[in-house]
Amino acid sequence: MLKTIFSLLLIAFASSIALAQEPSSPLIYRVFDNDPQFSFQGGYISLINPLNQQEIKQIKTNQAINSIVVTPDNKRAFVTPRAFPPINLGLLVIDIPTQTIKSLFETSAVYQISLDPNGMLWIVLGSENQIIVVNPQTLTVTARITDLDSPRDIAFSPDNKRFYVSLENSDIVVFDSKSKTPIKTIKNLPPSNISLARPMELAVSPDSKRLCIGGKNTITIIDTTTFQIIDSFSFNNRSFFNTTALLFNNTSNTIYVIEPNGFNLYQYSIDSKQLTTIFTSDRFSIQEAKLSQDGRLLYISLFGSKAIIDAQSNEVIFNLLERTSISNPVSEGIYLTGDFSIGQAPSLQTTAPAANQQIAANQAFSIKWQTTVMPQSYSIASHKIELSTDGGMTFNVIPGAEQLKPEAQDFTWQVPDIETSKAQIRVSTVDLGARRASSTTMNFTISRNGGGGGDTQAPMVSFLSPKGGETFNSGDSLQISWSSSDNVGVTSQDLSLSTDGGSTFPITLANGLSGSAQQFTYQIPMSLQSNQTRLKLVVRDGAGNMAQATTPSNFSIMLGADNIPPTVTISQPTQSQSIIAGQAIQVKWQSTDNRAVVSQALLLSFDNGKTFSQIASFGATDSSFTLSNIDRLSFTTPQAIVKITAVDSTGNKGEANATFTISPAITNANYQTKVLTITGIGFMSNVNNNIKLIVNDKEVTLTPSNVSNSSFIIKGNKKKLNVVKGSNTIRLVVDGIMSNSIQFTF
């Protein structure tokens, strides 16, 4: 139980400014134990380039090591010794450029190490009931939190306002990050396994709103505002030590649950509350998993192998066996630094088979392609080849070509015993950064005699529904079904409709339906009406043989009730367009209806839509009109609205508005004998006659002696009118709308 007194001792003043770095090249750090028989005789850190998964260098250690964290500048690593449970071996501090190693807290048992969002190192000393904060650059202790009841794990909110500590008794203590004082203890959580060194694993969501807590078989999710349990789920934990490791994805809606020293990695959706197994190892146990900073890649370190998962699709894109002998080192922890979003997707171009090429069935054929990787980009992980026999509508993976080697640029394909003139090959690739590219050939022919003419038997086709005599309404969803087959295989189907009893079929419902399609849903247009309606289906096989069927007799489509109003769109004037007062306004629009528009009207408002006046009425097809010779168009208006209404044959009315501004315009200004005279248009408003004079960017406070819509006269000396000798700039603001500016000379 948490002791009643928390002692917070600030050891030394140190900057908590984050160790911010410019985006750097990505790096993977993995730790290895040289002796798989647990005699703890040493290990090494492997620095790996994630672009090609090649090792850059090794840093040897004289201790077997387990977990690692690295500063963002890649200059210093902190490594915990491998021991179960942790024993008094302290912490290894490794200077990466010089590969020098020193020890820290040599007489303490380190249960957990972690970097907070500001880059400070936190060390959990579970057996000593304390957590120590260290500046990773100077290695000085900056804070010490004591009197904790067996702390096990620590996690930080990304906003760095709080941190959370799990205790051996299953409680979680919530701390304020700035003061490092406890603000809440979360109790009544599922019990943990107290025989373990770290029984309560923690993770905080990127939005800082959820805290996830791992027990033996139960995961608990806490709302960090209310500190209440909002969700929990159970799973069959196969970890050798009954522990879990937890990760949130970048959008905070998915939790990854890892079995350290187990064999499964799960994904839990917070929204759907579904737990899914996304990775299972059938040979080596999982040690640790990390998510790249951009959230695209999930890296898994296993006891004798490593894997990469595309976090968007959950597809395993890389899985490499590393331990081929019992004497090989075994891998432990993993850590990622740098920008994993660098580089570009690969490009791929198929070169064989060529368009319209004829290939013999039951023969070997070499599929060829060219894959290009851009500089400073991820290397290829694998290739895949798929075949379509219906012109690209559907594809199936070619057996043996499910996961070809990264360097493969050709594949010997045993062509199947089929005939088709619409064969296509699609070659696709994925790189080590989960970026993809693909290329599909044009149609080519597969034939049993090598010439494309082996199959002469036409398909068979007949309609099942409708067959004739039925009555449907416009607007209904017409369910069409049929039966089609072929001795080799139907490759495409075309469906059309007639309204003249089958004399013509001008209405195309669908072209290029797949060969497996046996039904289609047609949304009957509201304007369609006929008592002589029929359907026709044309069916083709891969050799080009064709058959067709029509419905045996006519069926009827009656006009249904129309309650859909016309749709109106106004293209001119554009929204918020500014138009000079007195200028003719070109209005353009388009009115459409599910059946037919019968009338239209144009209305105009000068008071932001409070009132409208009808200016003109139109027939069904008009789509433009020029507004002119309307008195109020010469007055300034902060918000004028043009409205177009359209009415269909059943009285449904649709409408659209376009809001625009009518602005004042100055044409001339003259200052003589202490009188400033301004001429132009729009000096009066349709709404409020509030007018301001701006001379040389200063407002004149004098009252004008005369104002009309086309003239503005004001008296005053040059000081009161802000007039200077030489060039002067003048503007008017009418009802909040600025005029143009002109210059006059005094």
Side-chain angles (χ1 to χ4, degrees):
M1 181 174 182
L2 184 64
K3 291 180 171 61
T4 57
I5 299 176
F6 285 83
S7 172
L8 176 61
L9 178 61
L10 297 178
I11 305 298
F13 177 78
S15 171
S16 61
I17 299 175
L19 301 176
Q21 302 291 321
E22 292 296 323
S24 58
S25 299
L27 272 175
I28 300 173
Y29 294 83
R30 294 180 67 204
V31 293
F32 286 82
D33 180 3
N34 282 334
D35 190 341
Q37 303 304 314
F38 300 96
S39 57
F40 313 116
Q41 296 301 310
Y44 64 92
I45 302 172
S46 175
L47 278 67
I48 300 166
N49 180 358
L51 297 182
N52 55 23
Q53 286 297 311
Q54 298 300 307
E55 185 175 70
I56 300 171
K57 65 178 178 180
Q58 292 184 4
I59 301 176
K60 307 291 185 181
T61 62
N62 58 6
Q63 293 184 23
I65 49 181
N66 182 32
S67 63
I68 181 173
V69 298
V70 182
T71 56
D73 59 7
N74 293 299
K75 292 183 179 179
R76 184 162 280 171
F78 298 89
V79 184
T80 59
R82 185 185 188 208
F84 305 99
I87 55 179
N88 298 341
L89 295 176
L91 183 69
L92 296 183
V93 182
I94 301 173
D95 184 85
I96 296 174
T98 64
Q99 300 190 30
T100 57
I101 302 174
K102 64 176 68 175
S103 295
L104 204 62
F105 305 108
E106 296 95 328
T107 60
S108 299
V110 176
Y111 281 57
Q112 172 69 302
I113 55 175
S114 183
L115 291 173
D116 70 15
N118 284 339
M120 301 299 285
L121 178 69
W122 294 62
I123 305 168
V124 178
L125 304 180
S127 59
E128 298 177 22
N129 296 328
Q130 62 178 311
I131 296 174
I132 296 175
V133 187
V134 172
N135 185 314
Q137 296 176 328
T138 63
L139 301 183
T140 56
V141 176
T142 65
R144 191 186 300 267
I145 302 174
T146 61
D147 290 335
L148 294 169
D149 190 359
S150 301
R152 290 298 180 261
D153 197 14
I154 186 169
F156 307 91
S157 63
D159 59 16
N160 208 31
K161 292 182 179 179
R162 294 175 181 170
F163 64 92
Y164 305 84
V165 178
S166 66
L167 305 180
E168 185 180 276
N169 64 4
S170 299
D171 291 348
I172 306 296
V173 185
V174 186
F175 285 83
D176 176 80
S177 295
K178 186 176 182 179
S179 65
K180 297 181 178 60
T181 56
I183 58 177
K184 176 73 175 180
T185 299
I186 305 173
K187 297 179 174 293
N188 302 318
L189 296 171
S192 62
N193 186 342
I194 62 173
S195 65
L196 303 177
R198 291 171 52 203
M200 297 291 286
E201 298 284 352
L202 304 177
V204 183
S205 61
D207 61 10
S208 302
K209 294 180 179 179
R210 297 182 179 95
L211 171 67
C212 192
I213 305 163
K216 175 184 176 182
N217 294 313
T218 301
I219 307 298
T220 306
I221 304 173
I222 300 288
D223 184 306
T224 58
T225 301
T226 64
F227 301 114
Q228 299 298 310
I229 296 175
I230 56 174
D231 195 6
S232 66
F233 59 93
S234 299
F235 69 106
N236 182 20
N237 193 345
R238 294 179 59 200
S239 167
F240 181 74
F241 297 106
N242 293 324
T243 56
T244 58
L246 304 169
L247 289 172
F248 273 95
N249 72 343
N250 282 19
T251 57
S252 303
N253 62 359
T254 297
I255 300 169
Y256 297 105
V257 181
I258 304 121
E259 297 175 341
N261 290 291
F263 299 91
N264 295 305
L265 188 152
Y266 304 91
Q267 175 182 280
Y268 181 74
S269 169
I270 293 176
D271 297 329
S272 66
K273 302 187 183 304
Q274 294 294 315
L275 182 69
T276 307
T277 304
I278 62 172
F279 180 81
T280 297
S281 172
D282 57 1
R283 184 170 182 180
F284 295 113
S285 59
I286 299 171
Q287 298 305 298
E288 194 170 13
K290 294 292 185 185
L291 191 67
S292 63
Q293 188 176 21
D294 59 7
R296 294 185 305 111
L297 303 166
L298 192 62
Y299 289 88
I300 306 174
S301 179
L302 297 101
F303 200 63
S305 61
K306 60 183 176 181
I308 306 173
I309 292 178
D310 180 348
Q312 308 303 312
S313 65
N314 290 337
E315 177 185 350
V316 178
I317 60 174
F318 182 76
N319 197 350
L320 178 67
L321 176 67
E322 294 176 307
R323 192 176 185 223
T324 57
S325 168
I326 193 170
S327 61
N328 291 146
V330 292
S331 59
E332 298 283 349
I334 184 172
Y335 199 82
L336 312 178
T337 65
D339 181 12
F340 280 72
S341 66
I342 67 170
Q344 303 177 50
S347 61
L348 190 149
Q349 181 63 50
T350 55
T351 56
N356 301 316
Q357 184 173 352
Q358 295 189 4
I359 297 175
N362 296 307
Q363 300 294 319
F365 180 83
S366 181
I367 301 172
K368 299 180 183 293
W369 64 92
Q370 181 76 41
T371 306
T372 303
V373 176
M374 302 302 292
Q376 297 302 308
S377 298
Y378 287 89
S379 299
I380 298 301
S382 64
H383 291 89
K384 180 175 67 174
I385 307 178
E386 299 166 284
L387 169 67
S388 172
T389 59
D390 54 13
M393 298 293 292
T394 59
F395 282 89
N396 293 299
V397 178
I398 293 176
E402 298 90 346
Q403 197 169 33
L404 299 176
K405 292 182 178 181
E407 64 273 15
Q409 298 289 271
D410 61 76
F411 175 76
T412 300
W413 173 39
Q414 188 64 33
V415 184
D417 184 18
I418 60 172
E419 289 195 321
T420 177
S421 62
K422 291 188 176 182
Q424 292 184 5
I425 289 292
R426 180 168 67 194
V427 183
S428 56
T429 187
V430 60
D431 66 17
L432 293 171
R435 295 184 172 119
R436 303 169 190 275
S438 65
S439 176
T440 304
T441 67
M442 301 295 286
N443 285 353
F444 62 91
T445 298
I446 301 173
S447 61
R448 290 191 176 93
N449 62 4
D455 180 15
T456 60
Q457 184 174 334
M460 299 178 64
V461 58
S462 62
F463 274 101
L464 302 178
S465 176
K467 285 195 169 185
E470 301 93 340
T471 298
F472 304 96
N473 291 322
S474 57
D476 286 351
S477 295
L478 177 60
Q479 305 297 322
I480 306 168
S481 63
W482 64 87
S483 174
S484 60
S485 60
D486 184 68
N487 62 314
V488 176
V490 174
T491 57
S492 70
Q493 304 178 95
D494 302 333
L495 185 63
S496 56
L497 182 140
S498 170
T499 58
D500 57 11
S503 297
T504 61
F505 288 84
I507 302 175
T508 298
L509 305 191
N511 273 340
L513 290 171
S514 69
S516 61
Q518 299 290 280
Q519 59 185 10
F520 184 82
T521 300
Y522 174 54
Q523 191 69 35
I524 303 174
M526 292 295 295
S527 58
L528 184 59
Q529 180 183 16
S530 174
N531 58 5
Q532 298 185 70
T533 317
R534 293 199 185 198
L535 295 166
K536 179 173 72 173
L537 185 70
V538 178
V539 179
R540 297 177 179 84
D541 65 14
N545 301 307
M546 182 184 73
Q548 68 178 37
T550 60
T551 46
S553 60
N554 296 337
F555 59 92
S556 299
I557 296 177
M558 308 297 292
L559 284 178
D562 179 17
N563 54 10
I564 301 176
T567 299
V568 182
T569 55
I570 299 175
S571 57
Q572 195 173 334
T574 57
Q575 286 290 344
S576 302
Q577 181 178 345
S578 181
I579 297 170
I580 296 174
Q583 177 180 312
I585 302 173
Q586 185 72 28
V587 182
K588 294 183 179 180
W589 71 92
Q590 187 70 41
S591 298
T592 59
D593 188 62
N594 59 314
R595 290 185 178 170
V597 172
V598 295
S599 65
Q600 304 177 91
L602 185 152
L603 298 89
L604 200 58
S605 171
F606 294 98
D607 55 9
N608 195 22
K610 294 179 181 178
T611 60
F612 280 91
S613 299
Q614 182 168 319
I615 305 301
S617 59
F618 311 100
T621 59
D622 293 271
S623 60
S624 67
F625 184 78
T626 300
L627 291 170
S628 61
N629 299 321
I630 299 173
D631 289 341
R632 297 181 71 181
L633 288 178
S634 64
F635 289 77
T636 291
T637 307
Q639 210 161 29
I641 300 174
V642 62
K643 175 185 290 186
I644 301 293
T645 63
V647 180
D648 65 15
S649 57
T650 56
N652 299 309
K653 184 170 79 170
E655 62 182 42
N657 293 343
T659 302
F660 59 97
T661 299
I662 301 176
S663 304
I666 302 174
T667 57
N668 190 45
N670 182 41
Y671 182 60
Q672 288 182 347
T673 62
K674 297 184 180 181
V675 177
L676 177 61
T677 303
I678 305 170
T679 57
I681 192 169
F683 296 170
M684 300 184 71
S685 171
N686 278 300
V687 183
N688 300 309
N689 285 318
N690 183 1
I691 188 167
K692 295 179 182 179
L693 171 63
I694 310 294
V695 179
N696 295 325
D697 296 323
K698 294 182 180 179
E699 182 179 349
V700 175
T701 59
L702 297 177
T703 302
S705 58
N706 182 273
V707 178
S708 69
N709 196 46
S710 58
S711 70
F712 179 96
I713 300 173
I714 189 168
K715 297 179 181 179
N717 60 37
K718 63 180 183 179
K719 182 177 181 180
K720 291 185 178 180
L721 291 176
N722 302 324
V723 174
V724 297
K725 283 192 174 184
S727 179
N728 294 267
T729 302
I730 189 169
R731 291 176 293 169
L732 287 175
V733 181
V734 181
D735 209 5
I737 305 300
M738 184 80 70
S739 75
N740 61 314
S741 63
I742 67 167
Q743 292 183 335
F744 67 93
T745 303
F746 171 67

